[in-house]
Amino acid sequence: DVSPVVAGLIGATVLVVSVSVTVFVWTCCHQQAEKKHKTPPYKFIHMLKGISIYPETLSNKKKIIRIRRDKNGTPKEAGRGNLLVDAAESGLMGSDKAPDGPNAAPHVDQLPIKVDYGDELSPDQSLTPGGSKTSSPSSPGDDVMLGELTFSVDYNFPKKALVVTIQEAHGLPVMDEHTQSSDPYIKMTILPDKRHRVKTRVLRKTLEPVFDETFTFYGIPYSQLQDLVLHFLVLSFDRFSRDDVIGEVMVPLAGVDPSTGKVHLTREILKRNIQKCISRGELQVSLSYQPVAQRMTVVVLKARHLPKMDITGLSDPYVKVNVYYGRKRIAKKKTHVKKCTLNPVFNESFIYDIPVDLLPDISIEFLVIDFDRTTKNEVVGRLILGAHSVTAAGVEHWREVCDNPRKPIAKWHSLSEY
C-alpha cells in the first residue's frame, strides 16, 4: 500500500515530466517550422571557372564527381580535395566552362571573411553626397575614371534559373597608396528585393582583375526579369580597416533579353550615389555634451518607417552605437531588441568620456540592425554624426551639439544604405 502523500508526489512528478516533455517537443517543432518558413524560395550556386565552390547550398539532389583523365586518356577518379558538382548545374554550364586542372579550385583564404556584421562599414568608408569617400586621399574624384566592368547574363528556362557571370574589370583606380594598387572584389545584389546577395573572391594587388565567377539563381520566373535590377558594388579589400568603396554599376534587366542566349555586357563603373538608395527609414537621436565632466550623452530615442525584414512583414530592430576616434573604434554599445515592429521606441542612453580636444576627430555611428535568431543579423540602415558625417543634417546636428554645451539636442535623421 502507498500512502496518499507518496502517491501525490509521484503523480505530481509524472505531471511535471509530462508537461516538460510536451513543451520541449512543441518548442522544437515550432523552431523547425519557423526555420522552414524563413528559407527563401530560391537557391543559388556559385561557380568559379566551372567548379561549384558552394555545392552544399543544393540539398536532396544526387551529386556527381568530375572525372579527370591522365595523360594516356584513362579516366581517373577525382581524389580527395576535389569539389563535388551538383548534377543540376550540368545543364547550365557548357564544356567551355570546364576547369583547366586541379589547381582551378579556389582556396578558402581567398574569400573575403567578416568577423563582425558583414554589411557594416566604418566612418572611414563614409560617402559624400556624390558617393566618394571623404577620408581616403586616394579616393576617386570627379575627374578620375573608375574603370569598366564586364559580365554576362543568361537564363535557363527548364530550371527557371538566372545565370550571372562576373568576368573582369578594367582600369580600376588605386585605393592603396602604399602598394599603388587595389585588392578588388565585387558584391552583387538583385534589386528590389535584395535577397540575392553574393560576392566574389578578393584578387590581390591588381587594377585589372579577372574574376570569371558564375552565380546561378534558381526560382526566378522569366516573366519577373523585366522588374529586376542587377546592382554591382566594386570594393577594395583592406586587411587593417574597413573595405574601400570604388564604385557601382546598375543594370536594369528590362533592357536585357537573355531568351536567345547569353548576353555579354560592359558597363562603366560610376561613383556610388547614396541619394539613389531606397529609403531605409529614420532614426531619432539626442546628443548632449558636458564640457566640465567631459562626457557625451547619447540617447537613442526611436525609429520609424523601417523596411520590412521578416516574412511576417515586420522586423526585430536594435541599434548598435559605435564611437570612433579617427579610424579607430574606441567604444561600442547596443540597445535592447524591439520585437515585431517597424516603428520601435528605444529611449536608451549611453554616456562616453570624451575630452574636449578630441571632439573634432570623434564620430558616432548608429547601425540599425534586424535581429534574427536562426540566421545572421542584417544591417537595416546607418547614420553617422561627427567628423565623418556624410549628410548636411548630420553636420548641422553635430555643430549644434558642440556650440550648445549641456543642452540636449534631438533630431530625426534618414538612415542611409550600408
Side-chain angles (χ1 to χ4, degrees):
D1 294 337
V2 181
S3 65
V5 176
V6 175
L9 291 176
I10 294 175
T13 303
V14 173
L15 180 61
V16 170
V17 172
S18 302
V19 172
S20 301
V21 172
T22 303
V23 171
F24 177 75
V25 173
W26 179 87
T27 303
C28 292
C29 296
H30 183 67
Q31 290 179 351
Q32 290 293 334
E34 283 187 348
K35 186 176 181 180
K36 182 177 180 181
H37 287 303
K38 287 187 178 181
T39 301
Y42 61 87
K43 298 178 180 178
F44 83 92
I45 58 175
H46 181 187
M47 301 195 72
L48 171 62
K49 296 182 179 178
I51 294 184
S52 175
I53 64 177
Y54 296 141
E56 67 278 4
T57 57
L58 298 178
S59 59
N60 299 327
K61 291 183 180 180
K62 181 180 179 181
K63 293 183 178 181
I64 61 175
I65 301 178
R66 286 195 183 276
I67 303 297
R68 57 188 180 88
R69 300 177 180 271
D70 55 18
K71 295 181 179 179
N72 299 327
T74 305
K76 185 177 180 180
E77 185 177 358
R80 183 180 179 183
N82 287 349
L83 298 173
L84 297 178
V85 181
D86 195 280
E89 63 190 66
S90 60
L92 295 174
M93 295 298 160
S95 58
D96 58 329
K97 289 286 184 177
D100 297 329
N103 296 329
H107 298 288
V108 176
D109 57 1
Q110 291 177 336
L111 300 176
I113 299 175
K114 298 292 183 183
V115 297
D116 206 344
Y117 299 104
D119 292 317
E120 294 181 20
L121 302 176
S122 66
D124 60 278
Q125 197 174 345
S126 301
L127 300 176
T128 62
S132 60
K133 287 177 54 180
T134 58
S135 61
S136 175
S138 60
S139 299
D142 295 337
D143 56 345
V144 177
M145 299 296 294
L146 302 182
E148 294 181 338
L149 178 65
T150 301
F151 58 96
S152 65
V153 179
D154 198 1
Y155 190 80
N156 186 281
F157 286 92
K159 297 179 175 62
K160 293 184 179 179
L162 177 65
V163 183
V164 180
T165 300
I166 301 177
Q167 296 169 343
E168 57 189 1
H170 295 287
L172 297 183
V174 173
M175 304 302 293
D176 188 346
E177 290 186 339
H178 180 69
T179 61
Q180 286 298 306
S181 185
S182 297
D183 300 321
Y185 71 98
I186 296 176
K187 287 184 178 181
M188 193 194 79
T189 306
I190 299 182
L191 305 177
D193 293 338
K194 295 187 178 180
R195 290 183 178 180
H196 307 69
R197 294 182 177 181
V198 295
K199 58 185 176 182
T200 68
R201 70 197 191 286
V202 177
L203 297 182
R204 303 288 184 177
K205 298 181 180 180
T206 177
L207 302 180
E208 306 286 334
V210 178
F211 298 101
D212 194 14
E213 299 191 41
T214 300
F215 300 91
T216 304
F217 303 92
Y218 293 91
I220 300 181
Y222 181 78
S223 59
Q224 294 183 3
L225 290 185
Q226 302 300 313
D227 301 326
L228 303 180
V229 177
L230 299 182
H231 177 236
F232 301 92
L233 185 63
V234 185
L235 303 103
S236 178
F237 177 75
D238 194 326
R239 185 181 298 275
F240 303 104
S241 63
R242 299 292 177 161
D243 300 343
D244 303 321
V245 176
I246 296 177
E248 66 179 356
V249 176
M250 302 283 287
V251 183
L253 292 183
V256 180
D257 184 15
S259 60
T260 57
K262 183 181 297 185
V263 180
H264 296 271
L265 300 170
T266 300
R267 293 289 185 271
E268 183 180 354
I269 301 174
L270 304 176
K271 289 195 300 183
R272 193 181 187 194
N273 189 353
I274 61 175
Q275 302 296 335
K276 296 180 180 180
C277 295
I278 301 175
S279 174
R280 312 302 293 174
E282 295 179 287
L283 180 67
Q284 186 184 40
V285 295
S286 173
L287 276 69
S288 175
Y289 186 72
Q290 303 291 334
V292 177
Q294 297 190 358
R295 289 182 176 179
M296 176 73 73
T297 301
V298 179
V299 183
V300 181
L301 296 172
K302 51 188 174 181
R304 62 188 179 189
H305 310 316
L306 297 181
K308 302 174 183 179
M309 305 299 292
D310 298 337
I311 59 175
T312 59
L314 299 173
S315 297
D316 301 322
Y318 69 94
V319 180
K320 184 176 181 181
V321 184
N322 296 319
V323 179
Y324 287 86
Y325 173 63
R327 292 172 174 256
K328 182 179 180 180
R329 184 170 64 181
I330 59 177
K332 63 176 181 178
K333 295 181 180 180
K334 61 183 179 181
T335 68
H336 293 86
V337 178
K338 301 299 178 180
K339 294 288 187 179
C340 301
T341 177
L342 300 180
N343 301 280
V345 177
F346 299 102
N347 282 335
E348 298 187 38
S349 61
F350 308 99
I351 298 176
Y352 305 95
D353 294 325
I354 301 176
V356 178
D357 55 337
L358 299 184
L359 276 181
D361 298 319
I362 293 295
S363 300
I364 303 178
E365 178 187 47
F366 301 87
L367 292 170
V368 181
I369 303 172
D370 176 52
F371 174 78
D372 199 319
R373 188 178 299 276
T374 59
T375 60
K376 192 175 183 180
N377 297 340
E378 188 172 0
V379 179
V380 176
R382 180 172 179 250
L383 167 65
I384 296 178
L385 300 179
H388 295 279
S389 181
V390 298
T391 62
V395 174
E396 179 64 20
H397 192 175
W398 186 259
R399 187 190 63 78
E400 290 186 21
V401 171
C402 296
D403 293 345
N404 298 276
R406 297 176 295 277
K407 179 182 179 182
I409 299 177
K411 287 189 177 184
W412 284 98
H413 295 273
S414 297
L415 295 171
S416 64
E417 203 170 16
Y418 37 88

